[in-house]
Amino acid sequence: MPSQHRSTGLTDDQLSIIDELSTLPFPEREGRSGKDRSWGGPGYQVAVLRESQDFWDDRSEEIVEAAEQELEADLAALTAVLADRWGDPATVDLWPYLGFDNPDPEFVAPEPLGFLCNVAGSMRVWRLRPSGRWLALAIGQADREFPFELIAAVGEASLLPE
């Protein structure tokens, strides 16, 4: 089943957004850019590369599975292209950034990790060494009725420990 909403549909378009995120200066303040479906703040930028349909009207297993598989296919295609550029990505578990196991009761994950850990379980990460940044790709969903989203995030290297 085709996606109802798309930020972009082609890998080339998605790569263009990733390239732009990787090189743009980080915003001085939190906020949305002039582009639909992207935002950032000091030390990070995030963009939704593609989203599936939402599941308000139909949450049947075949509909949900088909939507997730479409985004998984995009993720695999992007991962292959980026692996040719920068090598294989590391998989980063986002659970620790939720803070449940953190001894500091006031712990709050820095953005974009705070956002990502609330919508995804893990992310694929490339360290962009010369620039002092990292790039991550993840598939997330804010809630059962919301669309799946293919997300690209770029952050300062200091936000993500080695």
Side-chain angles (χ1 to χ4, degrees):
M1 166 175 255
S3 291
Q4 187 178 55
H5 301 288
R6 291 184 185 203
S7 300
T8 61
L10 304 171
T11 301
D12 288 344
D13 292 338
Q14 295 165 346
L15 286 169
S16 176
I17 293 168
I18 288 168
D19 290 341
E20 186 177 354
L21 284 179
S22 299
T23 58
L24 282 175
F26 295 124
E28 292 182 21
R29 292 188 295 271
E30 301 275 333
R32 298 228 173 246
S33 72
K35 296 180 180 163
D36 190 33
R37 311 291 299 151
S38 65
W39 64 96
Y44 76 95
Q45 302 226 44
V46 178
V48 175
L49 301 176
R50 183 174 177 194
E51 65 180 17
S52 72
Q53 70 183 61
D54 65 43
F55 305 103
W56 292 102
D57 296 327
D58 188 354
R59 182 135 180 86
S60 61
E61 187 174 332
E62 58 274 354
I63 296 292
V64 172
E65 189 174 307
E68 191 171 18
Q69 285 177 351
E70 274 190 41
L71 276 102
E72 288 284 351
D74 275 13
L75 177 61
L78 286 170
T79 298
V81 171
L82 296 176
D84 284 346
R85 286 185 188 179
W86 299 314
D88 291 333
T91 298
V92 173
D93 180 15
L94 291 166
W95 172 262
Y97 296 100
L98 288 170
F100 296 130
D101 297 331
N102 195 300
D104 178 0
E106 304 297 316
F107 173 79
V108 175
E111 292 300 339
L113 298 170
F115 165 74
L116 291 167
C117 72
N118 281 290
V119 298
S122 65
M123 61 185 184
R124 297 176 185 181
V125 176
W126 290 266
R127 296 197 184 267
L128 311 177
R129 301 252 184 244
S131 68
R133 296 176 175 207
W134 52 265
L135 168 82
L137 296 177
I139 294 176
Q141 185 181 33
D143 205 350
R144 293 173 36 93
E145 294 82 12
F146 288 12
F148 289 108
E149 296 177 322
L150 176 56
I151 302 163
V154 175
E156 291 178 342
S158 62
L159 296 177
L160 189 65
E162 292 282 335

